[in-house]
């Protein structure tokens, strides 16, 4: 039999329906691949028994001809999603030992549709990071390597485990989350496809909160079609999330391969950064040509407040994080360290439980929300956010259907190479993705090709609110035109 | 704007994070790096601009004022590091 882990999610789905193999065989192939790939540190928790039990149930349903949309398809779940009866850590010591008694809405919808859980995927601690190096359980190693060099490369972050597992064929697709670029940057770094849907499209209920006004769930998959299939199951109205939007969920797969003739694509001049690498510029120009060839119309646009997005994000996101993470106090769950009194207990618990990056961000958050600084920092940042959103609205009102930009300012870097002296160096990874979260828009990243060092590069498309279908069509046009990326051979196995 | 070491200690206390004497110095450096990164925002003209309160134009939904769940006290306290029956146990707060 061919290696079942090499299939796309769509092919595996069709193969199961045609009874070419069983869900149990498909699941066993993935469990074996995961066991051989522990050097990548992509999975924090493996759940093979649960997976095999779910696969057996799927096989019974498939035999009866009662397969659901994702019946028998093995997936990985970012360890930020609460999973009933399965440890959930957010890659933090402070949640070590935490076993939720409930299931997040989005993962619950995947199980409702028949998917099989392989385990929980590593991430940056509380999703704060761009390289997966802030995980309390060690960094994830990307399956990619530079040409002629075996230095360990980061898979990006915060959804680094998700991206690495998908690229290394350790699952057919994975859930991820995106607060400032945490789905799209790791997708770009690993040659995979990731979409952050419009704010409100997926329920946030049961996902460990980082910055609630920016957080959004989405999939990372090996191609555009697979991402579309996953998003259909993940999206939808949830009364338990007050920001969830009550709109019907389209069959996104139908948009894959649809014509993009006449679509108006904006090219924002402010995304051309000083000192931007030639390679990134060339890829961006190439993306323009690909969309032109597919019949799209290209227009230059201006998003004048772009450069303020990243600094404003580093006020808004830490402020919300400091408030959300106040719940980790050693009382209700996770770690507790004793102190001389209750405040001492809080302080010792949080000092021992949070890593350096999380501590930095909650301190910045506490500072910008504190008396005397609230207006100067927080309120000002929220005003700038209004301006950033207005930039996009003006472009969309002028008839632009989507905006094409690079996904990241560089290809992936080696573990330990960035951000050790100055945290801001790491933050700059999100310069092209963070505007999308600030404005609540959907954004998709698809691979565009390889950099000269042999590592993947991605292109980003930003869409109008709730027009993910347009993004899937455009991303599939890019996918069709771009050189096929050979995912790495398994050097780790 | 930059913070001094006293401010670093004050913020750490506000955030309820114990900070050792040996950590204050480099925390000060890191926090100041972030604060200087966001400093340029002070020059943006935001006159007459409303601060964003909701990224999507939506009204916060109200749910029916009704009991929708309950009787899950076992689940609620299940993960507590210290508990007695259905109570969370904390160090003595009131003398």
């Amino acid at each position: 039999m061919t290696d079942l882990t090499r299939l796309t999610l769509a092919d595996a789905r069709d193969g199961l329906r045609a009874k070419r193999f069983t869900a149990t065989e498909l699941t066993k192939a993935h469990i074996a691949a995961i066991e051989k790939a522990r050097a990548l540190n992509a999975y924090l928790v493996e759940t093979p028994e649960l997976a095999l039990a779910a696969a057996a149930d799927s096989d019974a349903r498939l035999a009866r001809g009662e397969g659901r949309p994702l019946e028998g398809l093995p997936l990985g779940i970012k360890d930020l999603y609460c999973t009933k009866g399965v440890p959930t850590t957010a890659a933090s010591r402070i949640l070590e030992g935490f076993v939720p008694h409930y299931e997040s809405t989005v993962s619950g919808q995947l199980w409702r549709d028949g998917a099989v859980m392989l385990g929980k995927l590593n991430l940056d601690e509380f999703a704060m990071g761009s390289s997966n190096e802030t995980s309390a359980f060690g960094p994830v190693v990307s399956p990619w390597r530079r040409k002629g060099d075996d230095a360990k490369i980061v898979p990006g972050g915060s959804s680094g485990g998700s991206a690495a597992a998908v690229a290394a064929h350790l699952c057919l697709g994975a859930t991820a989350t995106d607060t400032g670029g945490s789905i799209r940057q790791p997708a770009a770094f690993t040659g995979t496809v990731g979409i952050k849907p419009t704010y409100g499209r997926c329920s946030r209920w049961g996902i460990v909160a980082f910055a609630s006004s920016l957080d959004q769930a989405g999939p990372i998959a090996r191609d555009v079609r697979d991402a579309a299939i996953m998003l259909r199951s993940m999206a939808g109205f949830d009364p338990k999330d007050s920001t969830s939007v009550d709109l019907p969920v389209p069959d996104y797969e139908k948009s894959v391969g649809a014509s993009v003739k006449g679509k108006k694509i904006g090219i924002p001049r402010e995304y051309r950064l000083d000192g931007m690498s030639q390679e990134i510029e060339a890829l961006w120009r190439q993306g323009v040509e690909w969309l032109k060839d597919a019949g799209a119309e290209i227009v230059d646009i201006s998003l004048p407040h772009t450069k303020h997005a990243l600094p404003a994000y580093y006020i808004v996101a830490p402020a919300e994080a400091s408030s959300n993470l106040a719940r980790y106090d050693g009382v209700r769950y996770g770690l507790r360290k004793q102190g001389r009194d209750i405040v001492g207990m809080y302080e010792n618990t949080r000092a021992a439980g949070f890593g350096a990056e999380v501590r930095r961000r909650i301190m910045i958050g506490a500072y910008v929300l504190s008396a005397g600084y609230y207006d100067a920092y927080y309120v000002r940042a929220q005003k700038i956010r209004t301006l950033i959103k207005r930039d996009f609205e003006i472009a969309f009102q002028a008839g632009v259907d989507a905006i094409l930009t690079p996904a990241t300012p560089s290809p992936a870097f080696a573990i330990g190479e960035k951000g050790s002296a100055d945290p801001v160096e790491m933050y700059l990874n999100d310069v092209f993705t963070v505007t999308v979260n600030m404005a609540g828009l959907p954004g998709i990243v698809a691979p565009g090709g390889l950099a000269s060092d042999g590592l993947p590069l991605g292109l980003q498309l930003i869409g109008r609110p709730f027009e993910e279908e347009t993004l899937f069509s455009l991303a599939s046009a890019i996918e069709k035109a771009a050189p096929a990326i050979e995912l790495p051979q398994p050097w780790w196995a | 704007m930059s913070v001094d070491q006293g401010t670093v200690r004050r913020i750490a206390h506000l955030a309820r994070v114990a900070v050792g004497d040996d950590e204050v110095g480099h925390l000060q450096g890191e926090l100041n790096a972030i604060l200087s990164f966001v400093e340029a925002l002070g020059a943006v003209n935001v006159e007459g601009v409303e601060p964003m309160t909701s990224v999507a134009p939506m009204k916060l939904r109200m749910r029916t004022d009704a009991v929708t769940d309950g009787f899950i006290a076992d689940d609620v306290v299940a993960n507590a590091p210290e508990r007695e029956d259905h109570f969370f146990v904390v160090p003595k707060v009131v003398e």
Side-chain angles (χ1 to χ4, degrees):
Chain A
M1 200 183 323
T2 54
D3 181 358
L4 295 176
T5 68
R6 306 308 290 183
L7 298 173
T8 64
L9 181 118
D11 288 341
R13 173 192 63 184
D14 299 345
L16 283 173
R17 283 185 191 159
K19 303 205 162 52
R20 283 197 288 275
F21 45 84
T22 65
T24 301
E25 287 165 342
L26 184 64
T27 301
K28 279 187 173 159
H30 282 92
I31 292 171
I34 292 168
E35 283 172 2
K36 280 193 224 157
R38 291 197 179 123
L40 300 182
N41 202 25
Y43 279 88
L44 290 177
V45 180
E46 297 170 18
T47 54
E49 296 87 8
L50 289 176
L52 288 170
D57 178 52
S58 288
D59 281 328
R61 284 175 185 265
L62 287 161
R64 294 196 301 268
E66 290 169 6
R68 297 161 290 178
L70 300 176
E71 196 68 66
L73 300 173
L75 304 176
I77 301 297
K78 184 177 184 179
D79 201 24
L80 203 62
Y81 289 68
C82 287
T83 42
K84 192 174 181 177
V86 176
T88 300
T89 66
S92 182
R93 294 272 172 219
I94 212 158
L95 271 175
E96 236 180 329
F98 173 60
V99 180
H101 281 229
Y102 49 85
E103 185 78 27
S104 84
T105 297
V106 167
S107 55
Q109 287 175 183
L110 294 171
W111 319 141
R112 171 202 71 198
D113 285 354
V116 169
M117 178 167 80
L118 291 165
K120 304 295 292 290
L121 295 161
N122 204 346
L123 66 149
D124 279 299
E125 185 177 5
F126 282 104
M128 297 178 191
S130 302
S131 64
N132 219 113
E133 291 169 292
T134 73
S135 167
F137 307 109
V140 174
V141 179
S142 174
W144 287 89
R145 284 172 163 181
R146 287 178 186 138
K147 244 186 310 194
D149 179 353
D150 56 11
K152 287 178 179 169
I153 300 296
V154 305
S158 67
S159 310
S162 303
V166 170
H169 295 257
L170 308 180
C171 56
L172 291 172
T175 67
T177 60
D178 191 316
T179 303
S182 283
I183 289 175
R184 292 160 288 154
Q185 183 255 20
F189 276 10
T190 55
T192 54
V193 174
I195 180 165
K196 182 204 89 77
T198 314
Y199 186 78
R201 182 70 287 189
C202 291
S203 169
R204 292 180 294 107
W205 194 84
I207 298 175
V208 175
F210 162 12
S212 304
S213 79
L214 303 158
D215 295 345
Q216 193 55 201
I220 292 180
R222 278 197 290 275
D223 65 16
V224 175
R225 179 177 301 275
D226 288 0
I229 294 169
M230 279 188 73
L231 184 60
R232 189 190 185 189
S233 289
M234 293 170 72
F237 175 59
D238 178 10
K240 288 191 284 199
D241 172 0
S242 60
T243 60
S244 158
V245 173
D246 193 0
L247 281 176
V249 180
D251 183 354
Y252 294 119
E253 196 181 354
K254 288 200 174 118
S255 328
V256 178
S259 167
V260 298
K261 203 156 272 179
K263 292 279 183 211
K264 210 166 176 182
I265 308 301
I267 308 298
R269 74 173 67 99
E270 291 80 6
Y271 281 60
R272 190 156 289 120
L273 305 178
D274 288 339
M276 190 155 108
S277 101
Q278 288 291 317
E279 272 186 332
I280 301 288
E281 272 233 61
L283 174 74
W284 196 8
R285 272 200 305 273
Q286 181 65 70
V288 167
E289 291 309 313
W290 288 331
L291 289 179
K292 236 190 237 174
D293 292 345
E297 184 195 333
I298 308 295
V299 290
D300 285 323
I301 61 166
S302 174
L303 303 168
H305 295 91
T306 298
K307 71 167 182 238
H308 305 308
L310 198 58
Y313 173 85
Y314 274 97
I315 291 173
V316 174
E320 294 186 15
S322 78
S323 163
N324 271 325
L325 272 58
R327 73 189 73 182
Y328 304 102
D329 57 4
V331 174
R332 283 161 295 167
Y333 25 62
L335 187 77
R336 169 182 285 195
K337 291 275 178 211
Q338 300 303 341
R340 60 189 144 56
D341 54 12
I342 193 163
V343 173
M345 188 273 280
Y346 295 152
E347 294 189 343
N348 291 343
T349 298
R350 292 161 64 81
F354 291 140
E357 181 62 25
V358 174
R359 256 192 299 170
R360 264 199 293 274
R361 294 206 201 181
I362 55 181
M363 285 177 68
I364 284 286
Y367 182 65
V368 300
L369 292 175
S370 64
Y373 298 100
Y374 179 77
D375 286 324
Y377 284 113
Y378 187 71
V379 174
R380 174 167 282 266
Q382 290 289 45
K383 287 180 178 173
I384 289 168
R385 208 174 158 187
T386 299
L387 294 172
I388 292 163
K389 183 161 184 259
R390 196 177 289 166
D391 285 352
F392 283 106
E393 282 166 356
I394 290 168
F396 292 137
Q397 273 157 19
V400 167
D401 293 295
I403 295 161
L404 179 75
T405 78
T408 56
S410 74
F413 39 91
I415 292 178
E417 211 169 71
K418 268 192 188 176
S420 53
D422 176 2
V424 174
E425 188 187 17
M426 189 65 83
Y427 298 171
L428 295 174
N429 265 287
D430 291 335
V431 66
F432 298 130
T433 48
V434 81
T435 50
V436 175
N437 303 76
M438 294 296 268
L441 301 171
I444 194 168
V445 162
L450 298 182
S452 55
D453 62 4
L455 296 177
L457 292 172
L459 283 165
Q460 172 178 243
L461 286 150
I462 304 167
R464 299 168 179 234
F466 300 103
E467 293 193 13
E468 284 83 2
E469 289 162 285
T470 307
L471 295 186
F472 283 121
S473 301
L474 290 164
S476 68
I478 287 182
E479 184 174 61
K480 220 157 105 190
I485 284 192
E486 267 300 303
L487 287 173
Q489 288 305 306
W491 52 263
W492 55 87
Chain B
M1 194 147 353
S2 63
V3 293
D4 57 22
Q5 299 212 344
T7 309
V8 171
R9 289 177 203 275
R10 191 176 61 86
I11 305 168
H13 181 64
L14 278 178
R16 297 288 184 270
V17 179
V19 168
D21 289 337
D22 53 330
E23 295 174 290
V24 174
H26 71 87
L27 265 174
Q28 182 192 13
E30 291 159 12
L31 297 183
N32 281 332
I34 299 171
L35 291 173
S36 91
F37 176 60
V38 304
E39 203 170 70
L41 296 180
V44 182
N45 180 7
V46 292
E47 220 184 283
V49 179
E50 282 296 308
M52 182 180 283
T53 49
S54 165
V55 70
M58 57 162 70
K59 249 170 97 179
L60 209 55
R61 256 187 338 270
M62 305 287 267
R63 70 170 177 85
T64 345
D65 183 14
V67 177
T68 53
D69 67 3
F71 305 105
I72 52 165
D74 285 343
D75 289 338
V76 171
V77 298
N79 276 288
E82 228 183 305
R83 62 176 183 269
E84 262 180 54
D85 302 323
H86 285 158
F87 296 94
F88 297 111
V89 177
V90 296
K92 197 169 183 177
V93 182
V94 184
E95 286 302 328

